[in-house]
Amino acid sequence: LMALVRQELKNPLAPVRLAAAMLGRASIAEPLLPRVQSIIEQQAQHISHLVRAAQDVANAEAGILQFERQEVDLVGIIDAAVAGCRASMDVRNQPFSAQLPGAAVRLQGDRARLELVVGNLLDNASKYTPDGGEIRLSLEVVDDAAVLTVSDNGIGITAQALPQIF
């Protein structure tokens, strides 16, 4: 578990280092402050998600994982997850597009864990897609189900690994 946490915490460090380097350029720092602040805030949120995920794993291993079920808007959850992952995609020059319904998609779920799941899908898409590669997300309602699809032009998942991941 700690090896996984260590590896996952490395990813947000690149944008934070970039933001710090931008701040170090005193002569141009003033106009860049809002962008640098945004990068740092997004990556802090991402690190917070990772810490929460590590706590969830520890709780699951201890048999004490609890869900806070409530009515949530999946579109809002996706927006929050995208905001948390956007800086990483921007640093890698990865164009991102999303096709979302024009209205809220309401369901019963745990907002924090759903946001974590969507964020992990986007983070993995970014991590395993080369610089300049495209990442796409779509959400559609089919009958009484919400269908979320994240796709990219990265290396993909082997057929052997699919059953273990999902």
Side-chain angles (χ1 to χ4, degrees):
L1 173 63
M2 290 312 295
L4 174 64
V5 170
R6 183 179 61 242
Q7 180 61 34
E8 289 298 316
L9 286 173
K10 285 182 182 179
N11 293 327
L13 290 178
V16 170
R17 285 188 186 119
L18 173 66
M22 292 166 82
L23 285 174
R25 294 185 223 149
S27 62
I28 61 169
E30 183 88 21
L32 293 175
L33 286 179
R35 177 162 160 69
V36 171
Q37 179 182 6
S38 174
I39 290 170
I40 292 170
E41 287 173 350
Q42 288 175 352
Q43 294 311 306
Q45 182 180 20
H46 183 67
I47 291 168
S48 176
H49 287 293
L50 292 172
V51 169
R52 206 170 27 229
Q55 183 63 54
D56 282 350
V57 170
N59 288 346
E61 288 174 350
I64 57 172
L65 187 61
Q66 296 177 343
F67 294 97
E68 294 181 28
R69 277 194 146 187
Q70 59 186 345
E71 183 175 297
V72 295
D73 171 22
L74 191 53
V75 173
I77 288 170
I78 289 169
D79 287 342
V82 168
C85 297
R86 196 61 194 240
S88 294
M89 290 184 258
D90 290 347
V91 165
R92 294 180 178 114
N93 296 314
Q94 295 167 326
F96 174 77
S97 62
Q99 289 183 303
L100 301 172
V105 175
R106 301 225 175 263
L107 52 88
Q108 289 291 316
D110 184 311
R111 179 178 183 77
R113 287 191 175 79
L114 287 169
E115 191 176 319
L116 184 64
V117 168
V118 175
N120 284 344
L121 289 170
L122 292 171
D123 187 53
N124 284 338
S126 179
K127 187 186 319 180
Y128 296 108
T129 297
D131 289 359
E134 296 179 25
I135 300 169
R136 295 167 301 283
L137 179 146
S138 68
L139 174 65
E140 59 182 320
V141 177
V142 179
D143 297 325
D144 62 346
V147 179
L148 175 72
T149 304
V150 175
S151 58
D152 58 66
N153 58 354
I155 61 173
I157 302 170
T158 65
Q160 297 83 2
L162 278 173
Q164 295 169 332
I165 294 172
F166 297 105

